[in-house]
Amino acid sequence: MKKSNGRKFAYTVLAWVVALLVFFPILWMLLTAFKTEKQAVEVPPLLFFHPTLANFAVANSRENYLHFAANSVIVAFGSTALALMIALPAAYAMAFFPGRRTKDLLMWMLSTKMLPPVGVLVPIYIIFQRLGLLDTRAGLVLIDTLMNLPIVVWMLFSFFRDIPGDILEAARMDGVTPRQQMVHLLVPLALPGIASTALLAIILSWNEAFWSINLTAAHAGTLAAYIASFSSPEGLFWAKLSAASVLTVAPIMVFGSLTQRQMVRGLTFGAVK
Amino acid sequence: MIRYTLAAAGMAALVGFAPSARAVTLTIATVNNGNMIQMQKLSPQFTKETGIKLNWVVLEENVLRQRVTTDIATHGGSFDILTIGAYEAPLWAQRGWIKPVDNLGAAYDYGDLLPPMKASLSYKGKLYAVPFYGESSFLMYRTDLFKKAGLTMPAQPTYAQVASFADKLNNPKAGVYGICLRGKPGWGENMAYLSTLVNTMGGAWFNMKWQPQLDSAAWQKAITFYVDLMKKDGPPDATSNGFNANLTLFEGGKCAMWIDATVAAGFLYDPKSDKYAADVGVARAPVGVTPHGASWLWAWALAIPSSSKKVAAADKFLAWATSKSYIQLVAKNYGWVQVPPGTRKSTYANPAYQKAAPFAATVLKVIDSADPLHPTMSPVPYTGIQFVAIPEFQGIGTEVGQEIAAALAGRESVAAALKKAQAATVRTMTEAGYIK
């Protein structure tokens, strides 16, 4: 009994240490956001100080935070909705009517994620320019959809594979159309999986920086572009950058904590076990 | 069907396309430096005077460089005005990516611009970008520490004197290091300073046949001097120290001397940010065997990309933001010490500026002495003092900077680092067709 308690205590301590290590960068960013620029670079680092909100005021006055935040919300939710609209029927077909090349197709889709985005920057940039999509939210929704589509299809495919095919077959025998199967059977049965896929796609899109910076200018920049404006080669900027980062991660952290249960449930019940 | 149409319309409204504006609106891409942020804050005055609206895209220097290069190389047309450096101006002018800016109106006093700045932003004698603010490099030191040690800093020190001062003032136990220099690798980081050191030690990046000279005696001497000096009298872990880290160290009272950009003086002489503001002195950048290329020259300048369709409006903004009256406007709003330095003779002739910025006379001297067209003791086929104005230099400079940082960290010898750097540079220059 004693041995078991000791082990439990050790695991608890270990869990706390790991949790603190993971959380430390966020904690440090949070602390730095409330310091002055001088305090932010003090050696040894300051743990106790008189907090200031000045950095948040600067971060908000220098750039229009709400404009960038609105773009982030539109792009994250828009691209996720579009990716789901494409991925749901694709995953349905692959999971329940697999062809000879379905696995190859899935592998190919995943392999596209291995290409560094910078490798296709110039062609994508020229295509966007010709289509008038540069610096538009529509363009970012499109590119984020394309970026996340392989992962969304893979996850939905894995969740759908866990649903017994007999249920759908029975429905088909009763004359249910494929669309009705999707809407009335598949989606409700795989809802936790679909929800966690959507949440992951939203987070990936929210954090996407490369395309958000390179394909936008003054109108469609997301919060990633907002942060990129705060570091300076000449002059201190850590406190202001931390304040801007806090403003950027706060919405997605609140969103993540509100949907945590749903996400964990989906991830642990699905194939990404 | 109606449901789908409504959904599609909703999506379109949600996603939205960029709105078209009736009034002329310029999009300006710029870096996040103090003077640029001032310009952004004062720009409503320009809109009020001209009716031209402005959109700002502010990005970190390297991100901006990549972002703007992509747009300009593909004729994307996302920007009407760009903030570019002295490195890009001649290269982009040569490619036809930016327009000449030598006709900004009769009221624009081109003769008032500092000649070295004009030279660094010109290509084949034509100005392709107007300087917004400029800088050179010099030596900053703590007058109180010098006085206490009975030392006197000459107006034009030599590197031998600097090494001797550093030895005498180095006192790590008291938290003071003899000298602070850039150690962070990068073409615009440690290599900006080290290029000036190599120049003044009689070296150069390339000879007239574009053959790299990193294995020459001058490079060996300069880099050995730098590594030895920093190991003996510099702060620990200096390989992560760039401009900002050294600024923090100096302001924290940890550096007896610091050689870096003249723009630093604006921070160091400000009692609000530097508690040693009353004890700061400046001198010209130290020299070795030649004064050629001992101090660098850099300008952040405004240019108009060839893809812009609003050239007339962009010209107006350039004329406004780099004019004498803009400098007056900054002085009125932020004080004379905050005005963009290093661009106009009239700024340095102004008694109010001279009073507010005691370092101004030295800054003017080092800028005037910097000659980007003749940066080295022996003739070279390139222009630029702390950089070589060829497209390959960003990659070369960063790779060489990493090797030297490795030598500074003690991971390899100076000789080994320079041997590797030479081999890498020869390879790049051969692939690029400079070496036949």
Side-chain angles (χ1 to χ4, degrees):
Chain A
M1 190 67 180
K2 261 186 182 177
K3 199 178 171 184
S4 158
N5 275 345
R7 188 176 288 176
K8 200 175 168 187
F9 178 74
Y11 278 134
T12 308
V13 170
L14 186 70
W16 271 101
V17 168
V18 172
L20 274 174
L21 279 175
V22 171
F23 185 66
F24 185 75
I26 296 167
L27 175 72
W28 199 249
M29 176 183 75
L30 201 62
L31 285 174
T32 309
F34 291 96
K35 291 178 180 177
T36 63
E37 289 294 357
K38 292 282 285 177
Q39 288 169 337
V41 293
E42 201 80 48
V43 181
L46 288 178
L47 269 177
F48 302 100
F49 54 91
H50 189 71
T52 173
L53 287 171
N55 299 313
F56 291 93
V58 172
N60 199 40
S61 70
R62 193 189 290 173
E63 298 282 347
N64 188 350
Y65 168 76
L66 288 177
H67 172 75
F68 288 96
N71 285 346
S72 275
V73 170
I74 290 167
V75 171
F77 282 84
S79 65
T80 301
L82 195 57
L84 283 176
M85 279 164 67
I86 299 166
L88 274 169
Y92 166 71
M94 286 175 175
F96 298 107
F97 309 100
R100 274 173 52 218
R101 300 275 175 211
T102 297
K103 278 202 166 167
D104 295 342
L105 191 63
L106 278 164
M107 283 311 292
W108 171 77
M109 286 180 79
L110 202 62
S111 72
T112 59
K113 289 294 291 175
M114 294 168 194
L115 179 73
V118 73
V120 289
L121 172 60
V122 171
I124 294 271
Y125 200 89
I126 293 171
I127 292 168
F128 267 51
Q129 185 208 349
R130 302 264 161 89
L131 296 176
L133 288 172
L134 278 180
D135 199 22
T136 63
R137 286 169 288 201
L140 276 192
V141 166
L142 190 64
I143 199 85
D144 278 10
T145 301
L146 295 174
M147 290 295 121
N148 291 339
L149 205 50
I151 289 174
V152 173
V153 170
W154 258 93
M155 283 185 74
L156 290 179
F157 170 77
S158 304
F159 289 126
F160 286 176
R161 293 266 297 193
D162 283 357
I163 293 168
D166 299 348
I167 299 174
L168 295 183
E169 203 171 329
R172 273 199 296 279
M173 291 186 65
D174 288 342
V176 175
T177 64
R179 194 176 72 81
Q180 286 170 326
Q181 284 174 46
M182 287 256 313
V183 174
H184 298 296
L185 280 171
L186 204 55
V187 170
L189 282 170
L191 198 57
I194 295 169
S196 60
T197 306
L199 295 174
L200 190 71
I202 287 168
I203 292 168
L204 286 173
S205 181
W206 187 276
N207 291 336
E208 198 289 315
F210 181 80
W211 295 110
S212 302
I213 290 170
N214 281 291
L215 296 179
T216 66
H219 299 293
T222 63
L223 286 167
Y226 170 76
I227 289 191
S229 71
F230 278 90
S231 58
S232 165
E234 290 178 348
L236 302 177
F237 59 86
W238 286 113
K240 287 189 276 290
L241 181 66
S242 298
S245 301
V246 168
L247 288 172
T248 299
V249 299
I252 202 71
M253 282 186 79
V254 170
F255 180 74
S257 64
L258 289 176
T259 55
Q260 194 178 22
R261 184 170 293 179
Q262 187 66 47
M263 193 162 175
V264 172
R265 193 172 148 225
L267 288 173
T268 47
F269 272 82
V272 196
K273 289 170 188 168
Chain B
M1 189 65 195
I2 291 171
R3 220 166 25 157
Y4 291 124
T5 312
L6 281 175
M11 271 295 282
L14 184 76
V15 167
F17 286 84
S20 62
R22 281 180 196 164
V24 178
T25 303
L26 298 172
T27 302
I28 304 171
T30 189
V31 287
N32 175 16
N33 286 355
N35 291 114
M36 308 300 181
I37 300 298
Q38 268 175 6
M39 174 168 68
Q40 196 181 348
K41 282 182 182 164
L42 293 172
S43 62
Q45 178 77 23
F46 171 77
T47 302
K48 201 174 144 190
E49 286 169 17
T50 61
I52 298 167
K53 292 180 179 167
L54 304 170
N55 281 329
W56 295 86
V57 179
V58 184
L59 291 170
E60 190 271 328
E61 182 179 350
N62 292 319
V63 177
L64 180 89
R65 196 168 273 125
Q66 181 198 315
R67 174 73 188 86
V68 165
T69 307
T70 308
D71 190 72
I72 209 161
T74 56
H75 303 286
S78 296
F79 307 108
D80 301 301
I81 293 169
L82 311 169
T83 300
I84 61 171
Y87 172 66
E88 290 88 5
L91 292 178
W92 291 10
Q94 188 185 6
R95 283 171 167 69
W97 288 355
I98 48 178
K99 289 179 180 294
V101 286
D102 50 1
N103 192 17
L104 294 181
Y108 193 83
D109 190 353
Y110 282 100
D112 189 45
L113 296 175
L114 294 174
M117 290 300 163
K118 272 202 285 190
S120 69
L121 299 170
S122 297
Y123 175 68
K124 289 191 172 172
K126 229 175 195 181
L127 195 63
Y128 278 84
V130 277
F132 179 70
Y133 89 85
E135 65 182 32
S136 183
S137 59
F138 64 3
L139 187 151
M140 294 150 280
Y141 64 100
R142 288 269 303 280
T143 52
D144 55 332
L145 296 178
F146 269 71
K147 199 175 169 187
K148 202 174 154 192
L151 301 171
T152 307
M153 175 66 77
Q156 173 60 83
T158 64
Y159 267 107
Q161 286 171 317
V162 166
S164 153
F165 295 152
D167 279 350
K168 285 173 185 151
L169 295 169
N170 191 46
N171 187 2
K173 279 183 189 162
V176 178
Y177 301 98
I179 191 158
C180 294
L181 297 171
R182 291 185 184 190
K184 189 178 172 183
W187 74 274
E189 294 282 358
N190 60 347
M191 293 321 295
Y193 165 68
L194 289 172
S195 296
T196 64
L197 180 64
V198 169
N199 291 339
T200 195
M201 295 293 186
W205 275 92
F206 302 100
N207 66 10
M208 287 302 284
K209 290 179 179 170
W210 284 108
Q211 285 159 334
Q213 300 295 298
L214 285 95
D215 56 357
S216 65
W219 271 86
Q220 189 75 37
K221 186 179 157 191
I223 305 306
T224 304
F225 174 85
Y226 162 76
V227 170
D228 289 350
L229 182 65
M230 286 297 278
K231 278 185 178 167
K232 202 172 168 195
D233 302 322
D237 305 323
T239 49
S240 58
N241 291 355
F243 177 90
N244 283 332
N246 282 326
L247 175 69
T248 309
L249 285 170
F250 197 99
E251 286 183 340
K254 297 190 189 307
C255 306
M257 289 182 286
W258 175 29
I259 304 168
D260 214 302
T262 52
V263 74
F267 298 101
L268 300 185
Y269 276 84
D270 183 357
K272 277 182 275 177
S273 64
D274 183 15
K275 60 181 172 181
Y276 299 100
D279 300 316
V280 178
V282 294
R284 294 175 73 160
V287 293
V289 298
T290 173
H292 279 281
S295 47
W296 73 59
L297 191 73
W298 184 255
W300 278 118
L302 301 178
I304 303 172
S306 305
S307 53
S308 171
K309 292 177 178 66
K310 301 162 188 169
V311 178
D315 273 347
K316 276 186 190 168
F317 183 80
L318 260 60
W320 177 80
T322 62
S323 65
K324 284 186 267 189
S325 52
Y326 174 79
I327 288 170
Q328 297 278 348
L329 184 68
V330 177
K332 195 176 138 196
N333 284 275
Y334 299 102
W336 272 101
V337 77
Q338 296 284 336
V339 303
T343 57
R344 288 188 168 274
K345 294 173 192 170
S346 53
T347 306
Y348 290 89
N350 190 312
Y353 183 60
Q354 288 168 1
K355 193 179 167 196
F359 48 86
T362 312
V363 172
L364 184 61
K365 271 184 200 158
V366 286
I367 289 177
D368 275 342
S369 67
D371 182 358
L373 305 180
H374 306 94
T376 54
M377 190 165 73
S378 308
V380 285
Y382 58 85
T383 60
I385 297 173
Q386 76 279 24
F387 58 83
V388 177
I390 56 170
E392 293 76 13
F393 184 73
Q394 284 189 56
I396 290 172
T398 299
E399 195 163 0
V400 175
Q402 282 163 351
E403 292 299 338
I404 294 174
L408 180 62
R411 289 200 298 275
E412 61 187 2
S413 69
V414 170
L418 289 178
K419 195 177 167 192
K420 277 194 207 170
Q422 170 77 3
T425 310
V426 167
R427 193 172 55 243
T428 305
M429 294 301 280
T430 307
E431 282 167 6
Y434 290 86
I435 304 172
K436 305 290 175 197

